């Protein structure tokens, strides 16, 4: 929601978050308060991410999620 609202985001560096957000997010180690602080500071001092907001608004809609889910169900049921 924050990314869709043209806000910088600070997210975990764990898992597959970079696959979704690439270089358009600020990453931190959620177990390290210093890392969180530094990422929030960097996000607060950086320009707003117009590219990320547009990507979120166009790619990550409920309609797109439903379409991908339906495709996965069809693929599994046909095998």
């Amino acid at each position: 929601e924050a990314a869709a609202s043209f806000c910088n985001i600070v997210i975990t560096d764990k898992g597959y978050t970079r696959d979704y957000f690439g270089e358009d997010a600020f990453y931190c180690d959620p177990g390290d308060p210093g890392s969180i602080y530094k990422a929030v500071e960097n996000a607060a001092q950086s320009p707003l991410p117009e590219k990320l907001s547009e990507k979120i608004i166009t790619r990550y809609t409920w309609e797109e999620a439903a379409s991908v889910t339906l495709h996965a169900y069809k693929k599994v049921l046909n095998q």
Side-chain angles (χ1 to χ4, degrees), residues 31-66:
D32 178 358
S35 174
I36 296 168
Y37 180 85
K38 182 177 178 183
V40 170
E41 281 288 309
N42 288 337
Q45 296 174 8
S46 295
L48 299 178
E50 291 183 34
K51 289 188 320 180
L52 176 59
S53 297
E54 291 301 319
K55 181 167 70 172
I56 297 298
I57 290 168
T58 58
R59 280 188 177 172
Y60 301 110
T61 64
W62 283 113
E63 292 82 9
E64 182 63 22

Side-chain angles (χ1 to χ4, degrees), residues 12-22 27:
T12 179
D13 62 357
K14 310 296 183 209
Y16 297 98
T17 55
R18 288 186 192 272
D19 293 340
Y20 290 103
F21 299 104
Y27 296 93

